[in-house]
């Protein structure tokens, strides 16, 4: 078995501490983009739960949107449903708030409490795949497990 990189091991530990039987997998190819991840895993792009970090303009808090790999996020729809005006988060902000670099941000195991919004389009799948701390590590889960682990709010966020 391949030894996990520290960031992926952090995700695996988080999941194990919550009694989850998830297995973080390091892929031979990049999973940095949803398309890359789907190709490496052998699933549909829509089954990739991509993590996107935004900054709430008012509170300056990090907001994680976990979107289906084929969807673009409508910030207008997010504002209508949450009241939050979201702005772009730079790489330093993402690392500070999550503990992970862009391209490998998992839906869990962050260094700070993060508001999480979930793309309702992910609910149509029996299994989805999420980043696990590095640009080439992933883990499989169900949409229900994603909701339970993140305490996220399911919304219509597709552009």
């Amino acid at each position: 078995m391949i030894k996990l990189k520290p960031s992926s091991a952090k995700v695996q530990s988080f999941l194990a501490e919550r009694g989850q039987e998830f297995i973080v997998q390091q892929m031979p190819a990049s999973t940095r983009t949803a398309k890359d991840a789907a190709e490496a895993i052998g699933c549909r792009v829509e089954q990739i739960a991509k993590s996107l970090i935004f900054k709430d303009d008012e509170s300056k808090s990090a907001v994680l949107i976990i979107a289906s790999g084929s969807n673009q996020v409508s910030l207008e729809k997010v504002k209508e449903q949450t009241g939050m005006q979201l702005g772009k988060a730079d790489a330093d902000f993402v690392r500070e708030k999550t503990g992970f670099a862009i391209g490998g941000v998992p839906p869990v195991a962050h260094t700070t409490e993060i508001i999480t919004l979930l793309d309702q389009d992910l609910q149509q799948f029996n299994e989805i795949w999420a980043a696990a701390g590095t640009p080439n590590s992933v883990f499989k889960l169900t949409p229900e497990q994603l909701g339970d682990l993140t305490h996220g709010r399911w919304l219509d966020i597709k552009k």
Side-chain angles (χ1 to χ4, degrees), residues 35 60 65 67 71 77-78 86 89 97 107 112 148:
K35 183 176 182 292
K60 306 301 181 205
I65 296 180
N71 289 352
K77 282 186 174 180
V78 171
L86 300 182
K97 298 298 184 181
T112 63
D148 290 346

Side-chain angles (χ1 to χ4, degrees), residues 52-55 61-63 86-94 102:
L52 306 167
I53 298 287
F54 294 90
K55 185 188 287 189
S61 298
V63 176
L86 300 182
K88 189 172 170 67
D90 65 22
D92 290 338
F93 180 83
V94 171
I102 292 173

Side-chain angles (χ1 to χ4, degrees), residues 1-84:
M1 184 166 188
I2 298 171
K3 185 175 184 335
L4 293 176
K5 294 179 180 170
S7 291
S8 295
K10 179 179 172 185
V11 174
Q12 185 68 70
S13 292
F14 176 94
L15 296 168
E17 286 168 9
R18 279 145 189 84
Q20 302 296 325
E21 298 295 323
F22 303 115
I23 298 171
V24 170
Q25 300 174 43
Q26 289 190 164
M27 307 302 282
S30 171
T31 57
R32 183 179 293 275
T33 69
K35 183 176 182 292
D36 290 346
E39 287 174 9
I41 294 163
C43 69
R44 294 171 45 193
V45 174
E46 295 88 348
Q47 289 176 272
I48 302 301
K50 63 183 177 184
S51 295
L52 306 167
I53 298 287
F54 294 90
K55 185 188 287 189
D56 178 4
D57 288 346
E58 187 177 314
S59 69
K60 306 301 181 205
S61 298
V63 176
L64 170 61
I65 296 180
I66 302 174
S68 174
S70 60
N71 289 352
Q72 287 188 305
V73 174
S74 167
L75 295 181
E76 291 84 29
K77 282 186 174 180
V78 171
K79 184 174 183 183
E80 287 169 12
Q81 295 172 77
T82 67
M84 289 186 286

